[in-house]
Amino acid sequence: MISHNKISVALVGNPNCGKTTIFNILTGMHQHVGNYPGVTVEKKQGICHYKDYQLEITDLPGTYSLTAYSTEEVVTRNFIIDQKPDVVVDVIDASNLERNLYLAVQMVELNVPLVLAFNMTDIALHKGLVFDLKKLAQLFNVKIVQTVGNREKGVNNLLEEVIQTSNAPAKNLSSLLKYGNEIENEIEKLQKKFDELRDNRWLVIKLLEQDIDVLEHVQNEEIIFAVMESNLRLKNIFGEEPEIIIADRRYGFISGACQEAVKMTIQSRHDHSDMIDSVVIHKVLGLPIFVVLMYIVFDLTFRIGQYPMHWLEWFFSWLADSVTHFWPAGSESILKSLLVDGIISGVGGVVSFLPNILLLFAAIAILEDSGYMARAAFVTDRFMHKIGLHGKSFIPMLIGFGCSVPAIMACRILENKRNKITTILIMPLMSCGARLTIYALLIPAFFSEKWRGPVMWLIYFIGIALAVIAAKILRITLLKGETIPYVMELPPYRRPTFTSIMIHMWERGGMYLKKAGTTILVISTILWAASKYPAPNKNELAKIDKNQKQTEILRHSIMGRAGTVIEPLLKPIGFDYKIATALIGALAAKEVFVAQMSIIYAVTEHDDISILQTKLRNDYTPLQGFCIMLFCLLSAPCLATAAVTRTETGAWKWAILQFAGLTAVAYVLTFIVYQAGRFLGL
Amino acid sequence: MIVQERFLLKDAINNSKVRLLKIEAGQALKARLAAMGLLPGVQFKIINNNHPGPFVIDVKGSRIALGRGMAGKIIVRPTETQKA
């Protein structure tokens, strides 16, 4: 019996089997998302109260099998082996039975307290599949419950069955499936010879399957040797790797069971999906459709997102004003400055990303839940593959033109770790919206009407070209590894549910605020302090007007001094201390560059931007102007980007590599451009 | 019509049914395909082979999309019904 009526439940199942929908129904908003230690796979847990029981439910990653070849599969099986959940629920897409039962068979072999949830039984029935559930339950020696996830049908039955199973005495299921004389002989031999294998049939089977992870954990060398011998014998008999024979036998068992217990009045699960696909992944139409949909996602994220963003900006400036009123006008209180310029503007900065992130993840949830995401990956795979990335990388990269922060978060849709990290690392090369404000200041300042367009295109193009090159280089050096050949299931199209979209948005938004938000807040407060302190002598400040005062404060601060210190370093690329100071300020956010320049030139916000542009034109050449833009495009991503890179990759080292690598590239390239330009007399 | 006994999956025509003979790939990929139901001996149908577009097959009732490179590593033969 389990004490305190607490039951731990693990949800497993194939990708697209409706597992997450069931998880959402069971746990509602009581979810917690984390990461499994050391890997980038998400760990989703939630609590469900039912009768007197408290069920702690873990939604394990969707997998087809339990091999050691994918992180998701290793995470899934290690969780079940190490955490020993009281009950494992395997969610099965009943309309795609055989493939889904493949995982179930392995769960049975793992010998865990198991309940099978036959999900989407409505679709299965509709497609003419009739199940003899009693028979199936008998054949697999497990409990089976019918559910229809998106209509919440059968969920209570499932909970009842989970509770019963958790209270039932353990039964030994592991030898349900027989692999035929040859393999069974080897299993028996190994089990007889080694004590540690006697009660663990699953382990023996995994050894025969040459499972890398299991082999690594075997201490006894004799076992490994004996397994190799067994494998050689089996290979001689079958002329094929034992693991393939084992997989074949599992499928054989399943199709045998299905022949007995499932009646098919011919299935055509894909009727409407095939029809949609004939257009959506058409060789000519596929790409344009993808481009249009991506445009809609981009537009939704940034155009609609700007309204709530304005409201938030308005709210925070109102808050700043209100707080300011607690002090007499013209007060130089440090506390006031910390509250208003440091904390309120810092929190405002963090929160201002939120509308974009929520909208983007709503769009991604719709793309994923509807089944289009798999098609999008398909359509783009042909050209993305050439640069060593997955087709799906295209989506975050596109979002990167709006803002790197949600774009890097969107890299979660990439399953392969190397792909994901590569995409995250190159993301800042997609010129974001904040950098557009820099171009908007500098291009009209230095270039005549007819050159403005081409210069702008050139900047964007340089970013994209470098991203492609960087991806290529990363994939053959640091993030080397087999580019996973493209194999993917195209799930039938389904209508996404409102709840699941909401939960998805809520999850991402919360995660951003909690994890990246705190880092961003801390660093932005530090940068604020660096731009204000140490403060210049008050008596001197009293003599000059307000604009010059700000200029003086900045020059006197750590940031201003740092600008002067690094000036010699930036001279070879054409920058002076003013630009250096503005660049340091731009670490907080790229658009701060413009604000910093205004302060340095003592131009107020109320002045026309052309005043600043005229001043810039007097001080710098167009070549220098171009070099500033180039450097802003390539160098040091903003701190928010660094913070999400750290949270999404799980390690500071990637954020540091991204920061240092891009800055180095920026320096070298700007150096070449500046020196070559000067040589040519520009 | 001359029936080729074995050919590469990438050369299969739309809506034809084939039986898998062999996959010439590494262990990892083979295991992944096996988990998705693509094993030697399995019969499946080519849904969409529009060069250079997508390559989609129907295995045990689910649609699997393959990269073209991979379709060139899978050896198949026509099923009995087609030979006749």
Side-chain angles (χ1 to χ4, degrees):
Chain A
M1 276 297 283
I2 291 124
S3 56
H4 309 304
N5 293 341
K6 269 192 185 170
I7 303 174
S8 58
V9 182
L11 282 183
V12 300
N14 280 190
N16 312 306
C17 67
K19 183 166 61 72
T20 305
T21 316
I22 289 187
F23 177 70
N24 287 341
I25 294 167
L26 292 177
T27 60
M29 290 286 175
H30 308 285
Q31 296 185 7
H32 171 79
V33 187
N35 270 322
Y36 292 96
V39 293
T40 50
V41 178
E42 265 179 24
K43 183 181 197 171
K44 280 175 140 186
Q45 287 182 314
I47 302 284
C48 166
H49 292 278
Y50 182 73
K51 293 190 174 163
D52 294 336
Y53 294 88
Q54 182 182 331
L55 288 82
E56 195 193 274
I57 300 170
T58 308
D59 185 16
L60 289 164
T63 59
Y64 294 108
S65 180
L66 292 178
T67 65
Y69 296 116
S70 89
T71 330
E72 284 80 5
E73 295 181 19
V74 175
V75 162
T76 300
R77 73 185 200 195
N78 285 354
F79 183 88
I80 291 169
I81 294 168
D82 300 336
Q83 309 292 318
K84 297 191 176 53
D86 299 320
V87 182
V88 174
V89 175
D90 184 355
V91 180
I92 284 176
D93 173 358
S95 64
N96 189 8
L97 197 56
E98 289 194 33
R99 227 267 320 287
N100 277 260
L101 284 173
Y102 187 74
L103 182 66
V105 167
Q106 296 180 67
M107 285 295 158
V108 169
E109 278 180 341
L110 250 178
N111 203 19
V112 289
L114 188 65
V115 175
L116 301 186
F118 269 45
N119 200 24
M120 307 190 193
T121 39
D122 57 333
I123 300 175
L125 272 172
H126 187 70
K127 299 297 177 196
L129 286 162
V130 186
F131 306 112
D132 183 345
L133 284 185
K134 246 188 212 157
K135 188 102 190 206
L136 268 177
Q138 218 174 19
L139 288 166
F140 280 83
N141 199 5
V142 287
K143 299 280 186 193
I144 299 179
V145 183
Q146 293 196 58
T147 54
V148 180
N150 55 7
R151 265 183 259 147
E152 313 201 2
K153 257 168 72 179
V155 171
N156 281 350
N157 292 344
L158 179 61
L159 288 171
E160 287 291 341
E161 207 56 73
V162 164
I163 289 163
Q164 268 188 33
T165 305
S166 77
N167 290 328
K171 47 183 177 180
N172 192 348
L173 302 169
S174 60
S175 48
L176 171 85
L177 202 164
K178 298 289 183 207
Y179 287 96
N181 284 338
E182 297 87 351
I183 295 175
E184 288 299 332
N185 280 343
E186 299 300 334
I187 294 174
E188 202 180 322
K189 254 187 237 169
L190 288 167
Q191 284 193 311
K192 264 192 189 146
K193 200 166 171 190
F194 301 101
D195 282 345
E196 52 265 65
L197 300 181
R198 190 146 304 152
D199 297 322
N200 201 337
R201 185 178 158 91
W202 183 80
L203 192 64
V204 184
I205 293 168
K206 280 289 144 193
L207 286 169
L208 288 176
E209 283 185 279
Q210 302 171 64
D211 186 287
I212 316 157
D213 198 55
V214 169
L215 279 171
E216 262 175 23
H217 284 87
V218 173
Q219 305 290 336
N220 189 342
E221 297 224 337
E222 275 176 55
I223 293 184
I224 296 185
F225 194 70
V227 168
M228 274 168 58
E229 278 187 339
S230 295
N231 270 334
L232 264 175
R233 277 196 292 273
L234 292 173
K235 234 185 265 182
N236 277 334
I237 298 169
F238 295 109
E240 184 66 87
E241 301 285 336
E243 54 191 295
I244 298 297
I245 305 299
I246 290 173
D248 188 53
R249 293 284 147 86
R250 286 190 189 127
Y251 268 115
F253 173 80
I254 293 164
S255 70
C258 287
Q259 255 161 31
E260 278 192 56
V262 184
K263 260 197 283 178
M264 277 193 256
T265 46
I266 209 62
Q267 31 120 273
S268 49
R269 192 170 76 111
H270 287 274
D271 267 359
H272 73 287
S273 287
D274 275 347
M275 239 155 63
I276 300 172
D277 270 345
S278 64
V279 180
V280 165
I281 57 173
H282 188 269
K283 59 178 165 179
V284 182
L285 296 174
L287 213 50
I289 291 173
F290 170 76
V291 170
V292 168
L293 282 173
M294 286 309 108
Y295 176 78
I296 294 170
V297 170
F298 189 87
D299 198 55
L300 180 82
T301 307
F302 294 105
R303 207 159 57 97
I304 300 186
Q306 72 187 349
Y307 299 107
M309 232 156 115
H310 284 320
W311 302 333
L312 285 169
E313 267 168 32
W314 176 85
F315 171 76
F316 278 100
S317 78
W318 168 82
L319 191 67
D321 279 349
S322 315
V323 172
T324 308
H325 282 305
F326 286 108
W327 280 271
S331 154
E332 295 296 330
S333 157
I334 295 177
L335 182 64
K336 184 200 96 175
S337 183
L338 172 70
L339 278 177
V340 175
D341 303 326
I343 293 176
I344 294 178
S345 90
V347 173
V350 170
V351 176
S352 68
F353 288 112
L354 206 54
N356 285 343
I357 289 173
L358 292 178
L359 284 166
L360 173 63
F361 276 100
I364 286 180
I366 294 170
L367 291 178
E368 272 188 333
D369 292 0
S370 66
Y372 182 75
M373 196 64 103
R375 275 82 181 176
F378 199 121
V379 170
T380 49
D381 193 68
R382 244 182 308 148
F383 60 90
M384 292 302 279
H385 216 95
K386 292 206 172 77
I387 58 171
L389 291 175
H390 194 275
K392 276 199 217 169
S393 298
F394 193 86
I395 294 162
M397 282 168 80
L398 184 89
I399 297 301
F401 287 110
C403 177
S404 301
V405 173
I408 288 171
M409 290 187 71
C411 290
R412 278 171 184 270
I413 59 174
L414 301 168
E415 290 94 7
N416 180 269
K417 191 180 170 185
R418 283 185 296 265
N419 255 330
K420 179 174 154 180
I421 291 179
T422 310
T423 313
I424 290 177
L425 290 181
I426 62 167
M427 195 58 76
L429 291 169
M430 305 288 120
S431 189
C432 69
R435 275 169 276 188
L436 189 60
T437 58
I438 302 176
Y439 312 148
L441 170 73
L442 297 177
I443 290 180
F446 294 107
F447 298 96
S448 64
E449 197 77 47
K450 68 170 182 174
W451 283 104
R452 286 175 195 170
V455 170
M456 181 81 109
W457 278 112
L458 182 63
I459 291 282
Y460 274 85
F461 176 77
I462 290 172
I464 297 166
L466 281 176
V468 170
I469 296 168
K472 219 34 197 179
I473 291 173
L474 283 169
R475 292 297 271 132
I476 55 175
T477 56
L478 271 181
L479 293 158
K480 185 157 55 176
E482 183 188 10
T483 27
I484 306 284
Y486 179 84
V487 200
M488 191 180 233
E489 191 184 352
L490 299 179
Y493 287 100
R494 293 192 187 110
R495 191 181 311 155
T497 64
F498 181 73
T499 345
S500 97
I501 295 167
M502 284 300 125
I503 288 176
H504 204 72
M505 273 169 67
W506 179 255
E507 222 171 70
R508 297 299 157 222
M511 206 142 61
Y512 162 75
L513 286 183
K514 258 185 278 176
K515 297 217 174 130
T518 41
T519 319
I520 296 172
L521 185 60
V522 169
I523 308 181
S524 70
T525 311
I526 293 171
L527 277 176
W528 160 81
S531 74
K532 294 282 176 197
Y533 298 98
N537 193 319
K538 267 189 191 147
N539 298 333
E540 274 175 40
L541 283 181
K543 288 179 229 154
I544 49 184
D545 77 13
K546 202 181 158 221
N547 287 342
Q548 283 167 334
K549 207 183 277 176
Q550 279 194 317
T551 312
E552 204 46 45
I553 291 175
L554 182 60
R555 271 182 55 160
H556 211 269
S557 70
I558 294 176
M559 199 180 278
R561 290 169 202 218
T564 319
V565 170
I566 63 167
E567 187 181 26
L569 201 66
L570 297 184
K571 207 140 208 165
I573 60 172
F575 300 168
D576 60 9
Y577 78 92
K578 288 181 271 190
I579 298 170
T581 309
L583 282 174
I584 297 172
L587 291 176
K590 290 277 175 183
E591 70 271 20
V592 173
F593 182 88
V594 177
Q596 293 278 85
M597 276 314 225
S598 315
I599 295 174
I600 293 165
Y601 278 98
V603 178
T604 62
E605 297 161 35
H606 309 293
D607 286 332
D608 193 19
I609 189 123
S610 64
I611 297 175
L612 181 59
Q613 285 170 336
T614 313
K615 290 189 177 192
L616 287 171
R617 196 161 37 236
N618 292 337
D619 279 7
Y620 305 105
T621 64
L623 177 64
Q624 281 170 313
F626 184 79
C627 284
I628 297 171
M629 288 190 283
L630 188 62
F631 197 80
C632 284
L633 165 71
L634 305 174
S635 75
C638 70
L639 71 95
T641 305
V644 286
T645 299
R646 139 96 187 97
T647 47
E648 295 300 307
T649 57
W652 274 111
K653 70 169 178 187
W654 295 116
I656 292 166
L657 176 78
Q658 183 188 52
F659 192 93
L662 287 172
T663 309
V665 168
Y667 190 88
V668 171
L669 214 68
T670 315
F671 178 81
I672 295 170
V673 170
Y674 182 64
Q675 296 301 337
R678 288 224 312 180
F679 183 75
L680 295 172
L682 289 173
Chain B
M1 197 179 95
I2 303 158
V3 181
Q4 252 184 304
E5 263 311 305
R6 45 165 65 199
F7 51 90
L8 295 175
L9 178 58
K10 72 178 167 70
D11 301 323
I13 51 165
N14 277 350
N15 293 317
S16 63
K17 276 190 181 161
V18 294
R19 196 179 287 279
L20 203 157
L21 286 178
K22 202 175 173 202
I23 301 169
E24 288 180 335
Q27 241 185 336
L29 184 53
K30 267 195 202 170
R32 186 168 156 83
L33 291 172
M36 295 174 105
L38 271 171
L39 286 155
V42 166
Q43 200 180 314
F44 60 92
K45 190 175 162 190
I46 286 88
I47 300 292
N48 193 339
N49 178 10
N50 292 336
H51 194 75
F55 199 107
V56 184
I57 57 175
D58 176 329
V59 186
K60 295 182 196 294
S62 55
R63 294 290 183 268
I64 310 276
L66 299 170
R68 205 150 272 280
M70 194 147 47
K73 291 178 185 163
I74 297 176
I75 302 167
V76 295
R77 67 175 170 79
T79 52
E80 289 74 9
T81 46
Q82 278 201 315
K83 271 201 224 169

